[in-house]
């Protein structure tokens, strides 16, 4: 057995486990007749009208959706084989039955309510039951299945006679008692409130004088009502006249609304046309502003500065983000980056020379990225002396042979290196040193060309100038000055001899060589500014 509230397993009292038929009938009979006795002895707590209404409703009510089914009781005392078949059918229909198979001797017919005509048979059956009970008193105790069935039926009968499902544990019983106590207190308060209200009504019965005053007040109120009704009729007539006037005014208003709609339609059409024209005008103005800004941006664009960006990164000079110089071991730059920087500088020098229409004397720059070279062109006696020794024999054997014109000797000088080794540093970088010296010589020739040529400098130019002349209409004539002087393989400021450095890596230390590279790129930036901002009027040399 489980509690029907909290589903907690329960242990039943021993008095409920071994109930004889007399005790079972006594419990069932007490629960069935208790309400009738209470009803007969106590006063009916509701009026007869409500009772009549209840009877009428119950007669018209349909069958309930769910109805509690109470299985028939079964007695274990005395065999009754005549009703064994009906008992088996009742056992199959009971869902609360156990699955324990019972013999026919343990099956008894269910109890039925007997009328007055069957009282004699009831008395005879009770006598037989008592005699059978006396005979079975010496038999062993009831079986477990019968105990469970009788206990279950007892709890079902108790549940059918109350609003509480049985069995219930002690804790749930306490909770039910507290709930019922609260409902009792609420009902008591409600009863007291009804009693107080009834007393108040009984105490407020009006007297004869109050009744006469109420009648006089009623008479005056009826007179006022009649007067107000007459005024209401007059107002209704006036309202009808006003309604006619309102109808006339509404017709005029409709005519004015139509005229207003026609006006707004024409006005909206005009506003739409005006908005379209304004949108076209705004689009043209926006396109004009965009084109003007684009033209201004293009006029201010310097392709040379965008192509060759010369800046610095700490102690290093950079061209297009490539560092030129070395400071091992803390700031060691890879040779691939140095070779790429020299290739970009060679491309810059060749581009500026082509822009200014200048040709290098004795050199030709070949910008080829990280493997750029400078070709040294030797003409005249130096080239002839090297080839004379090989031709003397042929000329002596054949004096009539004409001497062919001498071809210039071209020597390729590298502007790149494959690496740095601690031993043989001077021999390893000999080809790179020759290429850097040739680059410095080409830079010097182009700087001399810029200084010696006539040019015009804009007012907003930031180029270093010397000896400005008289002002002209839109510019001033001036002479440019290279930031650092170049002498063979050395570059620097003549006023600061301590800072003059050699471009040869085999001779200079890494710090001096890095400073020389920085001075070199500074002069390249000077030439880049000349090519960008100066309008040349001189002729080619």
């Amino acid at each position: 057995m489980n509690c029907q509230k909290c589903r907690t397993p329960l242990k039943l009292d021993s008095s409920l486990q071994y109930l004889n038929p007399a005790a079972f009938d006594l419990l069932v009979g007490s629960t069935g007749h208790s309400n009738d006795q209470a009803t007969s002895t106590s006063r009916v707590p509701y009026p007869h009208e409500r009772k009549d209404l209840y009877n009428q409703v119950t007669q018209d009510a349909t069958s309930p959706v769910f109805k509690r089914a109470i299985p028939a009781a079964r007695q274990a005392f005395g065999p009754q084989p005549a009703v064994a078949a009906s008992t088996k059918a009742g056992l199959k229909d009971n869902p609360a039955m156990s699955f324990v198979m019972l013999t026919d001797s343990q099956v008894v017919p269910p109890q039925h309510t007997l009328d007055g005509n069957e009282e004699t048979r009831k008395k005879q059956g009770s006598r037989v039951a008592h005699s059978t009970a006396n005979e079975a008193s010496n038999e062993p105790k009831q079986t477990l299945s019968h105990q469970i069935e009788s206990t279950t039926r007892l709890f079902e009968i108790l549940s059918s006679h109350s609003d509480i499902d049985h069995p219930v544990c002690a804790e749930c019983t306490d909770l039910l008692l507290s709930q019922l106590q609260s409902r009792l207190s609420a009902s008591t308060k409600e009863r007291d409130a009804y009693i107080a209200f009834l007393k108040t009504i009984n105490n407020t019965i009006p007297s004869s004088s109050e009744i006469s005053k109420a009648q006089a007040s009623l008479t005056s109120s009826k007179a006022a009502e009649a007067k107000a009704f007459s005024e209401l009729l007059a107002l209704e007539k006036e309202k009808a006249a006003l309604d006619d006037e309102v109808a006339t005014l509404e017709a005029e208003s409709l005519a004015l609304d139509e005229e207003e709609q026609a006006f707004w339609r024409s006005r909206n059409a005009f506003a739409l046309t005006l908005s379209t024209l304004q949108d076209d005008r705004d689009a043209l103005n926006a396109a004009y502003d965009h084109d003007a800004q684009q033209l201004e941006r293009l006029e201010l664009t310097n392709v040379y500065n965008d192509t060759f960006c010369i800046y610095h990164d700490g102690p290093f000079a950079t061209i297009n983000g490539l560092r030129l110089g070395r400071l091992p071991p803390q700031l060691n730059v890879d040779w691939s980056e140095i070779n790429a920087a020299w290739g970009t500088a060679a491309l810059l020098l060749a581009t500026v020379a082509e822009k200014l229409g200048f040709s290098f004397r004795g050199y030709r720059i070949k910008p080829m990225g990280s493997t750029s070279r400078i070709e040294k062109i030797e003409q005249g006696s130096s080239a002839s002396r090297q080839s004379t020794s090989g031709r003397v024999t042929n000329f002596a054997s054949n004096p009539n042979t004409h001497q062919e014109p001498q071809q210039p000797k071209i020597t390729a000088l590298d502007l790149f290196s494959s690496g740095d080794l601690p031993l043989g540093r001077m021999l390893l970088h000999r080809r790179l040193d020759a290429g850097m010296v040739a680059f410095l010589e080409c830079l010097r020739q182009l700087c001399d060309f810029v200084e010696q040529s006539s040019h015009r400098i804009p007012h907003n130019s930031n180029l270093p100038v010397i000896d400005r002349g008289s002002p002209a209409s839109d510019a001033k004539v001036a002479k440019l000055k290279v930031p650092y002087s170049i002498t063979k393989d050395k570059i620097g400021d003549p006023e600061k001899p301590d800072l003059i450095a050699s471009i040869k890596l085999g001779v200079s230390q890494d710090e001096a060589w890095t400073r020389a590279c920085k001075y070199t790129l500074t002069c390249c930036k000077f030439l880049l500014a000349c090519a960008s901002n100066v309008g040349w009027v001189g002729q080619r040399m």
Side-chain angles (χ1 to χ4, degrees):
M1 291 293 177
N2 294 329
C3 177
Q4 300 300 312
K5 291 290 185 180
C6 61
R7 311 306 300 175
T8 304
L10 299 178
K11 182 178 180 181
L12 300 179
D13 190 76
S14 59
S15 61
L16 296 176
Q17 294 181 0
Y18 304 103
L19 285 176
N20 53 24
F24 186 87
D25 294 339
L26 181 61
L27 290 176
V28 173
S30 63
T31 56
H33 297 286
S34 61
N35 293 333
D36 298 336
Q37 295 175 0
T39 304
S40 60
T41 57
S42 61
R43 184 177 60 85
V44 179
Y46 50 82
H48 296 285
E49 292 80 3
R50 294 185 63 184
K51 178 64 177 177
D52 297 338
L53 179 60
Y54 174 76
N55 294 331
Q56 181 181 358
V57 171
T58 53
Q59 290 176 1
D60 298 336
T62 60
S63 60
V65 178
F66 174 79
K67 184 177 181 181
R68 184 188 298 274
I70 302 176
R74 182 173 77 165
Q75 297 180 1
F77 300 96
Q80 295 185 9
V83 292
S86 62
T87 306
K88 291 182 180 180
L91 293 175
K92 292 180 180 179
D93 295 335
N94 186 10
M97 289 299 296
S98 173
F99 288 95
V100 179
M101 297 299 296
L102 303 178
T103 60
D104 294 338
S105 61
Q106 296 175 338
V107 178
V108 296
Q111 295 181 357
H112 299 282
T113 304
L114 300 178
D115 299 333
N117 297 328
E118 298 180 356
E119 291 180 357
T120 306
R121 284 182 292 177
K122 180 178 179 182
K123 292 179 180 179
Q124 293 176 359
S126 61
R127 292 173 183 175
V128 172
H130 285 295
S131 63
T132 307
N134 294 329
E135 293 175 358
S137 59
N138 297 325
E139 295 180 358
K141 293 184 178 181
Q142 302 174 359
T143 61
L144 178 62
S145 60
H146 184 271
Q147 295 175 5
I148 295 175
E149 180 183 359
S150 60
T151 306
T152 304
R153 178 171 174 78
L154 176 62
F155 286 132
E156 288 178 351
I157 294 174
L158 293 175
S159 300
S160 63
H161 286 81
S162 64
D163 297 336
I164 302 171
D165 292 336
H166 292 276
V168 184
C169 63
E171 291 79 0
C172 296
T173 304
D174 295 338
L175 293 176
L176 289 173
L177 289 175
S178 62
Q179 293 177 2
L180 293 175
Q181 186 66 30
S182 61
R183 289 173 58 183
L184 177 62
S185 60
S187 300
T188 304
K189 292 180 181 179
E190 186 177 359
R191 183 202 63 183
D192 296 340
Y194 281 128
I195 293 173
F197 181 73
L198 182 61
K199 290 180 179 179
T200 303
I201 292 176
N202 293 331
N203 294 332
T204 56
I205 298 176
S207 60
S208 58
S209 59
E210 292 177 352
I211 293 174
S212 61
K213 289 181 181 179
Q215 291 178 351
S217 176
L218 179 61
T219 304
S220 61
S221 299
K222 288 183 177 180
E225 181 183 1
K227 183 179 179 181
F229 184 73
S230 61
E231 292 179 356
L232 178 62
L233 293 177
L235 291 175
E236 286 181 352
K237 293 180 180 180
E238 185 178 357
K239 178 180 178 297
L242 292 176
D243 289 340
D244 296 338
E245 186 178 356
V246 168
T248 304
L249 294 176
E250 285 181 352
E252 296 178 358
S253 176
L254 291 175
L256 291 176
D257 289 340
E258 292 179 357
E259 294 180 2
E260 183 181 4
Q261 290 178 2
F263 167 75
W264 283 113
R265 282 195 294 269
S266 61
R267 189 261 178 194
N268 291 336
F270 173 76
L272 181 60
T273 305
L274 179 62
S275 176
T276 304
L277 294 176
Q278 288 178 351
D279 292 341
D280 295 341
R281 182 200 61 187
D282 295 340
L284 292 175
N285 290 336
Y288 173 77
D289 294 339
H290 176 267
D291 295 342
Q293 293 177 0
Q294 189 73 6
L295 177 61
E296 183 179 359
R297 187 179 65 83
L298 293 175
E299 289 177 350
L300 296 177
T301 301
N302 189 341
V303 67
Y304 296 103
N305 288 335
D306 294 341
T307 306
F308 305 103
C309 180
I310 298 176
Y311 202 62
H312 65 87
D313 182 9
F316 300 105
T318 61
I319 177 169
N320 291 344
L322 301 172
R323 294 175 294 179
L324 190 59
R326 299 194 71 190
L327 291 175
Q330 292 83 6
L331 299 175
N332 193 12
V333 182
D334 295 337
W335 277 105
S336 59
E337 184 176 354
I338 296 173
N339 296 335
W342 275 118
T344 307
L347 179 61
L348 183 150
L349 200 60
T351 303
V352 173
E354 183 179 358
K355 170 68 176 178
L356 301 180
F358 176 75
S359 298
F360 297 104
R361 296 185 299 273
Y363 295 95
R364 185 166 56 238
I365 300 178
K366 296 291 184 179
M368 293 183 294
S370 298
T371 58
S372 300
R373 291 182 173 87
I374 297 178
E375 294 181 350
K376 183 177 180 182
I377 305 173
E378 295 179 351
Q379 296 179 355
S381 60
S382 60
S384 63
R385 282 195 301 269
Q386 296 177 4
S387 60
T388 300
S389 60
R391 296 181 182 179
V392 171
T393 306
N394 295 332
F395 183 78
S397 61
N398 191 5
N400 296 325
T401 304
H402 296 284
Q403 186 177 2
E404 296 179 358
Q406 298 178 359
Q407 297 294 332
K409 181 181 179 182
I410 299 176
T411 305
L413 304 177
D414 298 338
L415 273 178
F416 60 91
S417 178
S418 59
D420 189 7
L421 295 175
L423 297 177
R425 175 170 176 168
M426 184 177 296
L427 298 177
L428 179 64
H429 298 293
R430 183 177 58 183
R431 296 177 61 86
L432 177 61
D433 290 341
M436 291 187 293
V437 171
F439 181 88
L440 209 59
E441 176 61 22
C442 295
L443 181 63
R444 183 193 64 77
Q445 292 181 14
L446 191 55
C447 290
D448 293 342
F449 173 76
V450 171
E451 289 181 349
Q452 295 173 6
S453 300
S454 300
H455 51 275
R456 300 176 65 82
I457 304 174
H459 291 286
N460 57 353
S461 176
N462 294 325
L463 296 174
V465 297
I466 58 172
D467 192 18
R468 285 188 177 271
S470 59
S473 59
D474 59 347
K476 295 182 179 181
V477 178
K479 189 175 182 61
L480 297 177
K481 181 182 179 182
V482 182
Y484 298 103
S485 62
I486 301 173
T487 304
K488 294 183 180 180
D489 62 331
K490 298 185 183 303
I491 182 172
D493 190 357
E495 297 179 359
K496 298 178 181 179
D498 296 338
L499 299 179
I500 297 176
S502 176
I503 200 66
K504 290 184 178 181
L505 184 59
V507 176
S508 303
Q509 297 296 327
D510 291 329
E511 183 179 358
W513 181 67
T514 302
R515 187 167 62 252
C517 294
K518 190 174 185 179
Y519 294 161
T520 302
L521 289 183
T522 303
C523 295
C524 290
K525 190 170 184 179
F526 165 76
L527 295 177
L528 197 63
C530 291
S532 303
N533 300 322
V534 177
W536 290 87
V537 297
Q539 301 295 328
R540 289 189 178 183
M541 295 182 61

